[in-house]
């Protein structure tokens, strides 16, 4: 199950990606928003992040205007590695190097013609073992580090 979410700025792109996921036979859960009416991105970012963190969804896709707010919000949830990607190479590296479980897109700032391939690559690419897994483990430890 793939979790999808956006604010108003990402709504149209979310709808396009939802159609694409259905075409590719992925099951998806849409956490909103459901129009271009102004909403607050942390609300939708946290819904998707929590669904992924709880294991209810295997991966997530979040979209806002720049992708920045959604990234910041989603990464506050323990167990989430949300990666703001801007081309196919970063979508692939986010999985291989960072074991990212959410891809974040900026609807107002990125090239929309790249989105289909970025999402496809993100969903099919496996995380790499070895030094990459060790570094991801270090990130996980940071979640419980006292400051
Ligand atoms: C909404 O105007 C905009 O601030 C939001 O979509 C996002 O870009 C925040 O990071």
């Amino acid at each position: 199950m793939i979790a999808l979410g956006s604010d108003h700025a990402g709504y149209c792109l979310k709808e396009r990606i939802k159609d694409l996921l259905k075409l590719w036979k992925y099951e998806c859960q849409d956490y909103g928003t459901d129009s271009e009416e102004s909403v607050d991105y942390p609300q939708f970012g946290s819904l998707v992040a929590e669904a992924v963190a709880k294991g209810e969804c295997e991966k997530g896709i979040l979209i806002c205007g720049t992708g920045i707010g959604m990234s910041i919000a989603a990464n506050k949830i323990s167990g989430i590695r949300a990666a703001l990607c801007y081309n196919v190479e970063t979508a692939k590296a986010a999985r291989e190097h960072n074991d990212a479980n959410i891809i974040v897109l900026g609807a107002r700032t990125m090239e929309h013609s790249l989105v289909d391939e970025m999402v496809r690559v993100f969903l099919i690419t496996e995380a790499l073992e070895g030094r990459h897994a060790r570094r991801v483990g270090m990130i996980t430890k940071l979640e419980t580090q006292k400051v």
Side-chain angles (χ1 to χ4, degrees):
M1 182 73 77
I2 308 299
L4 265 175
S6 76
D7 69 355
H8 52 287
Y11 170 72
C12 290
L13 190 53
K14 172 173 69 66
E15 294 302 298
R16 220 190 84 198
I17 293 173
K18 190 161 69 179
D19 289 343
L20 207 60
L21 293 179
K22 284 178 185 163
L23 193 72
W24 293 341
K25 310 274 186 246
Y26 282 99
E27 280 192 274
C28 62
Q29 176 74 45
D30 185 352
Y31 288 88
T33 189
D34 55 10
S35 77
E36 290 185 277
E37 195 177 320
S38 183
V39 290
D40 300 323
Y41 60 80
Q43 183 187 340
F44 300 93
S46 62
L47 286 175
V48 167
E50 281 167 12
V52 174
K54 284 180 190 161
E56 292 166 2
C57 292
E58 177 199 330
K59 289 194 183 85
I61 301 171
L62 280 172
I63 311 146
C64 64
T66 58
I68 296 171
M70 282 295 196
S71 305
I72 294 172
N75 279 313
K76 296 289 180 194
I77 305 296
S78 194
I80 291 304
R81 290 178 298 279
L84 174 53
C85 298
Y86 46 89
N87 57 22
V88 176
E89 189 182 357
T90 51
K92 188 163 191 245
R95 288 289 309 132
E96 286 188 340
H97 291 214
N98 314 112
D99 196 8
N101 44 18
I102 295 181
I103 184 171
V104 189
L105 305 169
R108 292 175 178 161
T109 52
M110 66 171 296
E111 183 56 64
H112 284 207
S113 64
L114 298 177
V115 167
D116 299 17
E117 185 60 3
M118 286 171 66
V119 170
R120 193 187 72 81
V121 163
F122 183 79
L123 294 178
I124 64 168
T125 303
E126 296 294 334
L128 296 176
E129 298 294 332
R131 65 185 186 282
H132 299 297
R134 184 182 73 240
R135 291 163 187 162
V136 170
M138 291 169 74
I139 293 174
T140 302
K141 276 196 187 156
L142 292 174
E143 289 176 354
T144 51
Q145 187 169 300
K146 299 257 188 297
V147 286

